[in-house]
Amino acid sequence: MSGKITVSGVGCCLVDRLYNNISFDTEAFARFLTRTAGDGGLTPGRLVFKEEFDRFAGVDFLQTLPRLTGGRQAEAMNVGGPCIVALIHAAQLSGDTATYRFYGCRGQDEDGRFLLSALKKTPVGTDVYRLEKTDATASTIVLSDPDYDNGNGERVFINTIGASWKYRPDELDDAFFASDAAVFGGTALVPQIHDALTELLDAARSKGCFTIVNTVFDFRNEKVHPDRKWPLGKSDDSYRNIDLLITDHEEALRLSGSASTVEAMEFFKANRTGAVIITNGARDISLYSSGKRFSGSETTLPISQAVAEELKKGNKGDTTGCGDNFAGGVIASIVAQIRQGRRPLDLVEACRWGIVSGGFACFYMGGTWFESHPGEKRELLVPYYEKYVKQTNHAE
């Protein structure tokens, strides 16, 4: 395919307010830790709705926040969300070889104005990013502890869905389904889209789209049925129309109702998912392809040694957006491979770009990197990619 590739994404886009160097090992933090699944308490690595935390704590979270942060202000305010951050990163890597568009909504408030202004500084098209006048823009307060998990770092997310409750499946136009690739990112935070995934994925595949789903912690379903696996749309039929599922370890376990990565992967295979990537923080990723779109394979890949060495030297911001940038790196590689006419696609190659992209996100605060000139981020990533290729070729 010699022309531009078109990629459309729908899902989570929000304002991240980032608090770094927040210790999870304090009396104040322990006071608000979750006690049972879905109860509204805080858990490292997980997301909770602000309204549910308020009920759990018996007080508005904004009154609790100074106790957790020592009264500090947020270090940064950034564009966040598994869909938009992945699309921005992919667009930055793809350059003028692809067109990326984001479908979603914002509120008529300061956060909404911030997001619209910020997105106009990226290569992602915002012509279908609509205004919802009656609700606040979606936002998340991110508490980050870089020393958690033996220095690998972790975050806690307190989310307000806001206007995203209103975004409907019928707002996806014909152009969305005419795209070469359709990305459904973090749809658990856009409830009406998430609940319609079975039908939307079927429609996208029937139109010839390459379908990608990257997930986020589904607090809504965790609260309703903490003892059951999370639904992805109306039924498990969703999985057969996913060309690539990107999920982290805990989300994979909860989506499959499994106790291990191996069991989760078997669930995704049994439901005919085209290909699956399961990330696990600073640990090896697991990947599988059925052979439909990618060459058939099942293996693991390590983190980038070059990135790890930089982090040990103290060159780090926080881990916010690592998974989203991982997804963006994978998407950019898939777009490049489709444009080159590669068949079947190479999932390992896509994961190489994902791994260095996710690792690079640890070097700055928040998920979104704003380029000073087109191609800047790719230029910075290429040396890490080249080192990672040597690292993994040597491992083979």
Side-chain angles (χ1 to χ4, degrees), residues 175-307:
F176 180 91
F177 296 101
S179 304
D180 295 298
V183 178
F184 300 85
T187 55
L189 297 181
V190 189
Q192 292 191 64
I193 296 296
H194 193 72
D195 292 344
L197 275 178
T198 304
E199 298 88 344
L200 293 174
L201 285 162
D202 182 66
R205 278 291 298 276
S206 70
K207 296 292 186 180
C209 295
F210 188 103
T211 57
I212 301 169
V213 173
N214 60 302
T215 64
V216 69
F217 191 86
D218 187 354
F219 182 80
R220 184 170 59 114
N221 282 301
E222 181 75 0
K223 177 176 175 58
V224 174
H225 296 299
D227 56 338
R228 302 182 195 174
K229 72 180 182 67
W230 296 341
L232 194 72
K234 290 184 173 61
S235 76
D236 289 345
D237 287 343
S238 299
Y239 291 101
R240 64 182 171 82
N241 285 315
I242 299 175
D243 287 312
L244 176 61
L245 173 66
I246 306 173
T247 186
D248 79 7
H249 173 73
E250 183 163 18
E251 291 155 16
L253 300 189
R254 296 299 292 118
L255 285 166
S256 63
S258 303
S260 69
T261 299
V262 172
E263 291 178 10
M265 198 67 88
E266 290 302 317
F267 169 85
F268 298 133
K269 290 180 191 176
N271 282 283
R272 295 183 290 165
T273 314
V276 183
I277 303 170
I278 301 177
T279 64
N280 195 9
R283 298 164 185 82
D284 290 359
I285 70 165
S286 301
L287 54 144
Y288 157 79
S289 169
S290 66
K292 291 179 185 176
R293 294 275 198 153
F294 298 93
S295 53
S297 63
E298 185 167 6
T299 188
T300 61
L301 285 172
I303 64 168
S304 162
Q305 292 176 354
V307 168

Side-chain angles (χ1 to χ4, degrees), residues 26 39 47 68-69 93 107 136 162 179 226 233 235 268 313 316 378 382:
T26 64
D39 65 4
L47 176 146
L68 300 172
T69 64
L93 293 189
S179 304
S235 76
F268 298 133
K313 295 175 184 176
K316 57 183 175 182
R378 185 181 182 90
V382 165

